[in-house]
Amino acid sequence: MLLKNTFVHHVHFWLKDKADKQQLLDGLNTLLPIPHIRQIHIGVPAETFREVIDRSYDVSLLMLFDGPEQQEAYQVDPTHIIFAENYAKPLCSKVVVVDSVNV
């Protein structure tokens, strides 16, 4: 099924210390109640080893929004700001965000 009217927000996190993985996962789970999110997936690299697959990240966050306005509202939601300040910034050495919209 082709997704329509969807704003995709995909974030990859690289931890400073691999021992903090559960702490980051706990932090990501605090985002679940944010009402602007249509769907959310929190994951770790799959056991796939093809040459084109980047498995260097530690944790992945994939969110679907109904549009750019909902994604912008998510960005300023107090729960998201707390997550960024208390989990992402102190625990991660690198964060890469890829946003996309339908064509």
Side-chain angles (χ1 to χ4, degrees), residues 44-84:
V44 296
E47 292 294 315
T48 51
F49 299 96
R50 295 182 308 280
E51 187 176 305
V52 296
I53 297 173
D54 180 353
R55 299 184 73 251
S56 66
Y57 66 94
D58 296 296
V59 177
S60 168
L61 171 67
L62 175 68
M63 292 188 207
L64 303 181
F65 296 93
D66 290 334
E69 299 82 9
Q70 289 77 16
Q71 193 275 151
E72 284 299 321
Y74 159 78
Q75 290 297 327
V76 297
D77 186 284
T79 301
H80 173 254
I81 293 169
I82 290 169
F83 164 76

Side-chain angles (χ1 to χ4, degrees), residues 12-70:
H12 290 90
F13 300 91
W14 284 260
L15 291 164
K16 294 176 187 174
D17 183 342
K18 306 285 188 198
D20 292 331
K21 184 184 283 186
Q22 188 58 54
Q23 188 177 353
L24 180 59
L25 292 170
D26 293 344
L28 287 167
N29 278 290
T30 68
L31 303 174
L32 296 174
I34 297 176
H36 314 292
I37 301 168
R38 182 196 308 168
Q39 289 183 300
I40 188 169
H41 176 270
I42 299 167
V44 296
E47 292 294 315
T48 51
F49 299 96
R50 295 182 308 280
E51 187 176 305
V52 296
I53 297 173
D54 180 353
R55 299 184 73 251
S56 66
Y57 66 94
D58 296 296
V59 177
S60 168
L61 171 67
L62 175 68
M63 292 188 207
L64 303 181
F65 296 93
D66 290 334
E69 299 82 9
Q70 289 77 16

